Amino acid sequence: CRSSRMASPTKFEGIYDFTHKGGTFDVHLRPGGCFFAPQFQATSTWYVTQDDDKITHLRIDWAKFGKYDLKQISDTTSFEGSFVGDAKNWRKMALKAPFSVAEAKLLDSTWDFQHAGGSFLVEFRADSFNHFVCNDFPAHSHWSLTGHKLLINWGGHGDYELELDESGDSMSGHLKGQPENWRKASRKGALADNVASSAVFAECH
């Protein structure tokens, strides 16, 4: 993502309740203007603007799921609006929780991933698909985080379950279903913007 970095203020980043007439689900406003919806994934962006009346608008480009324009409610982290061009097709968003320290440090980061035979670098991309990247053992892969429980779906290399430390600097776990087949990782740092914004596995989505 990161196409609208200057127009996506950090104060709006976090996990939101996204509501429409059919129900409510989670969406994420991520750093660099990346919009992520776990249940409805598509290459998506967000940014904010101000109109002539100094009202802040949240603009979402959700690819196949449409474009949305939502107005900030006073000076809060809640928004109301609609599908662009269809005012009756309403949407609402309200901040559910800011990113935890650990989750914020996981987004667009690089790690030293360790096992009994050695170690190598991996990346946790904060794009619209939660891509997991390993140049040494490539596969179309993804990650997900629930609380501090991290799951890596590494294609043909297996699924891994790890516990992310609350500091966001380390994790430990194992190959799913094989506790003795351990894995550990330590955070090396944040991905450079030009790396984080580069597309990976674009042909798969």
Side-chain angles (χ1 to χ4, degrees), residues 17-132:
D17 284 325
F18 190 88
T19 302
H20 63 119
K21 65 180 181 180
T24 299
F25 52 88
D26 286 356
V27 299
H28 299 201
L29 298 186
R30 288 180 164 176
C34 188
F35 181 84
F36 175 64
Q39 294 178 258
F40 302 97
Q41 296 183 21
T43 301
S44 314
T45 57
W46 70 276
Y47 64 98
V48 297
T49 61
Q50 278 195 335
D51 61 24
D52 293 339
D53 296 320
K54 303 300 182 183
I55 296 174
T56 298
H57 290 248
L58 172 63
R59 315 274 187 173
I60 300 169
D61 184 345
W62 203 339
K64 64 182 179 182
F65 298 111
K67 296 182 178 181
Y68 299 86
D69 179 4
L70 296 89
K71 295 180 181 179
Q72 184 183 20
I73 301 173
S74 276
D75 192 22
T76 69
T77 48
S78 295
F79 302 85
E80 292 184 351
S82 66
F83 192 94
V84 172
D86 185 1
K88 293 182 179 179
N89 196 353
W90 60 268
R91 297 293 189 277
K92 296 181 180 180
M93 277 179 62
L95 183 66
K96 183 176 181 179
F99 294 126
S100 68
V101 170
E103 184 166 10
K105 293 178 79 169
L106 184 67
L107 301 177
D108 280 337
S109 61
T110 182
W111 294 66
D112 183 51
F113 199 79
Q114 306 152 25
H115 64 115
S119 67
F120 43 84
L121 293 179
V122 300
E123 301 171 5
F124 292 89
R125 297 289 184 99
D127 56 17
S128 296
F129 302 97
N130 276 7
H131 280 122
F132 175 81

Side-chain angles (χ1 to χ4, degrees), residues 42 163 202:
E163 181 82 10

